[in-house]
Amino acid sequence: MEGFNKQEELNHYVDHLFRKYKPTQQIRELKAEILSNLEAKVADLTASGMNDHEAVQQAKNSIRSVDHLVDGNIRVFIHPFRLELVQMGLLFSLIAWILTIPFRIFGLGVLLNTILMALCIVGSIVYFAMYFSSKRKKEEALQAKKYVNYRLVAKLKRASWSIWSLFIIVVTLTTTAVQFGSHIWFARPVTIEGPYQWAVLAIKYALPFASVIVPLLFHVAEKLAFKYEAGERDEI
C-alpha cells in the first residue's frame, strides 16, 4: 500500500496505548519494550508472506491495552468502588454538617454549615441515583472492571494529608495573629470574658478542621481499591 509507513504506524499506536500515562522512566522503558515486541511480530508476519498493512494490523490487535503491565495498576470492580466512595463522602459530610450546627452562632459557621448541608443534599442525590441505577443494570455491567493505580492513589493521599496539615497550621497561626497579635506584640495580657467569647474563639479555631473530609476521602479511596480488587475469577 502506497504511503503506508509501518514504523510510523507502530509508533503512533504505542503512543496511543500510553496516552494517559505520564512519561516516567518506567513508562518509557515499557513503551520501548512494547514497540520492540510489535516490530518483531510485524517482521515475523511479513517474513511469512503477509503484507505490511495486514501485519501491522494483526500486531496491533495482539496488544489492545497496557494497563495490566503498568506497575501499581490493579483491576477493581468499578461500580461498587465508586458507590462506596460516594457513600463515604456523604457520611463524612453528614457528620461534619451535624458537628457544625452549633457553629451557626458565628457568621462563618453559618456559611460552612450551609455549604456542608448542600454537599449532603448533592451527595444524597448522587448516591441514590447510583444505587437505584445499579438495580436496573444487568449483572455484566455490575461486574465491570477498571484499572486503578494504587501507587498514584497513595501518593495523592499523602499529598492531601500534607496540604491539609499545612492549611491547618497556616489558618491556626493566622487566626492567632488576628485575635491576639496586638496583645502579643505589646505584651498585653490576653483576656477572654464569658463563655460566649470562649465559644466564638473555639469556633474560629475549629471551623477549618471540617476540611478534613478531603484527605479522608483519599484515605478511603486507597482502602476501597484493595477491597474491590478483582482477581482472575473474582465476583462481587
Side-chain angles (χ1 to χ4, degrees):
M1 182 178 292
E2 293 186 9
F4 181 75
N5 187 318
K6 60 182 179 181
Q7 187 61 51
E8 184 177 339
E9 185 71 18
L10 291 176
N11 287 335
H12 284 323
Y13 184 65
V14 171
D15 288 339
H16 174 75
L17 288 174
F18 288 91
R19 65 192 181 281
K20 61 184 178 182
Y21 295 105
K22 292 183 179 180
T24 62
Q25 181 64 28
Q26 183 223 353
I27 294 300
R28 286 193 293 268
E29 291 175 356
L30 189 55
K31 283 182 70 173
E33 182 180 347
I34 295 296
L35 181 59
S36 176
N37 290 341
L38 289 174
E39 290 170 345
K41 190 171 185 66
V42 169
D44 290 341
L45 291 171
T46 53
S48 66
M50 188 177 292
N51 65 54
D52 287 351
H53 187 272
E54 291 178 345
V56 168
Q57 190 58 47
Q58 187 166 325
K60 287 163 61 176
N61 290 340
S62 68
I63 302 179
R64 289 294 190 179
S65 172
V66 294
D67 290 334
H68 62 291
L69 300 175
V70 176
D71 188 31
N73 274 1
I74 57 174
R75 284 196 316 164
V76 301
F77 292 105
I78 196 63
H79 181 76
F81 170 80
R82 288 172 176 170
L83 185 63
E84 188 164 345
L85 186 60
V86 172
Q87 182 185 45
M88 294 305 297
L90 175 58
L91 177 62
F92 293 151
S93 299
L94 281 170
I95 293 172
W97 173 61
I98 292 170
L99 291 177
T100 56
I101 288 176
F103 294 1
R104 294 183 68 89
I105 63 173
F106 183 64
L108 286 177
V110 174
L111 177 62
L112 177 61
N113 186 252
T114 303
I115 291 174
L116 288 170
M117 182 175 64
L119 282 176
C120 291
I121 294 172
V122 173
S124 298
I125 293 172
V126 172
Y127 173 75
F128 285 110
M130 292 175 65
Y131 177 79
F132 288 114
S133 174
S134 68
K135 297 298 182 181
R136 296 192 297 269
K137 288 183 177 179
K138 295 181 179 180
E139 186 65 22
E140 294 80 5
L142 295 177
Q143 295 288 326
K145 306 176 187 73
K146 286 192 177 181
Y147 282 93
V148 172
N149 192 288
Y150 71 87
R151 293 183 185 274
L152 176 60
V153 175
K155 186 183 296 184
L156 290 173
K157 182 192 73 173
R158 291 192 296 270
S160 65
W161 279 114
S162 298
I163 293 172
W164 181 78
S165 300
L166 181 61
F167 167 74
I168 291 298
I169 292 171
V170 170
V171 171
T172 300
L173 291 176
T174 302
T175 301
T176 302
V178 171
Q179 294 296 128
F180 308 113
S182 62
H183 294 79
I184 296 172
W185 183 261
F186 294 107
R188 295 199 301 260
V190 176
T191 57
I192 303 174
E193 299 177 356
Y196 178 79
Q197 286 192 355
W198 276 105
V200 170
L201 184 61
I203 288 171
K204 288 181 179 179
Y205 278 102
L207 280 177
F209 284 87
S211 59
V212 74
I213 292 173
V214 176
L216 278 176
L217 278 177
F218 282 105
H219 189 84
V220 168
E222 182 184 27
K223 293 182 179 298
L224 292 180
F226 289 105
K227 177 179 178 179
Y228 291 109
E229 182 179 2
E232 291 298 323
R233 295 180 296 275
D234 286 345
E235 293 184 358
I236 300 175

